[in-house]
Amino acid sequence: METKAEARFVRVSARKVRLLMDEVRGRKVGDARLMLTYAPQKAAKILKKVIDSAVANAEHNNHCDVDTLYVKKVYGNEGPTLKRWRPRAQGRATRIRKRTSHLTVILDEL
């Protein structure tokens, strides 16, 4: 039985999260969590929390055994971009784009 968890409006770009998602996709939950625990990226901590939430949903709602769960699907879509301005030389300004993303993790039993 599939179990889902989402994190929306996360302050990390979707491109950076997708690099980690590609490493985690298809792995057992225990292996994925261990890998993300020691990954140096900021996105690793966020993605690990989403996986932990999906595991908690699977245990509570579907009464699944944690040892049989694996990451079936994981994807990160772009969220809204926060637009900011930075002053530059000669009275000009440069746009700074602070990107956000929506993360989705779907777990299933083996």
Side-chain angles (χ1 to χ4, degrees):
M1 172 151 281
E2 289 186 356
T3 307
K4 179 179 172 182
E6 287 183 329
R8 294 174 50 89
F9 305 103
V10 176
R11 269 291 292 124
V12 64
S13 72
R15 183 177 179 181
K16 292 178 181 179
V17 176
R18 286 182 191 136
L19 292 171
L20 287 168
M21 289 180 168
D22 292 339
E23 296 293 322
V24 169
R25 189 175 293 113
R27 292 186 182 264
K28 286 187 169 184
V29 168
D31 296 341
R33 288 162 89 177
L34 187 66
M35 178 187 282
L36 292 172
T37 301
Y38 296 106
Q41 293 89 343
K42 172 187 171 181
K45 184 177 179 181
I46 297 166
L47 185 57
K48 183 176 181 291
K49 285 179 80 170
V50 179
I51 290 176
D52 289 343
S53 177
V55 169
N57 291 342
E59 278 184 302
H60 186 267
N61 299 338
N62 301 334
H63 308 291
C64 296
D65 183 24
V66 181
D67 298 328
T68 63
L69 293 175
Y70 76 101
V71 181
K72 183 175 184 180
K73 295 179 188 175
V74 59
Y75 50 91
N77 299 324
E78 287 186 18
T81 300
L82 306 174
K83 295 171 179 88
R84 301 292 183 261
W85 297 97
R86 161 158 277 151
R88 302 299 292 211
Q90 299 180 2
R92 296 188 179 106
T94 301
R95 177 182 284 176
I96 296 175
R97 292 182 296 277
K98 295 180 179 261
R99 299 182 186 271
T100 63
S101 57
H102 304 311
L103 314 180
T104 305
V105 174
I106 298 174
L107 305 180
D108 201 0
E109 289 185 301
L110 292 173

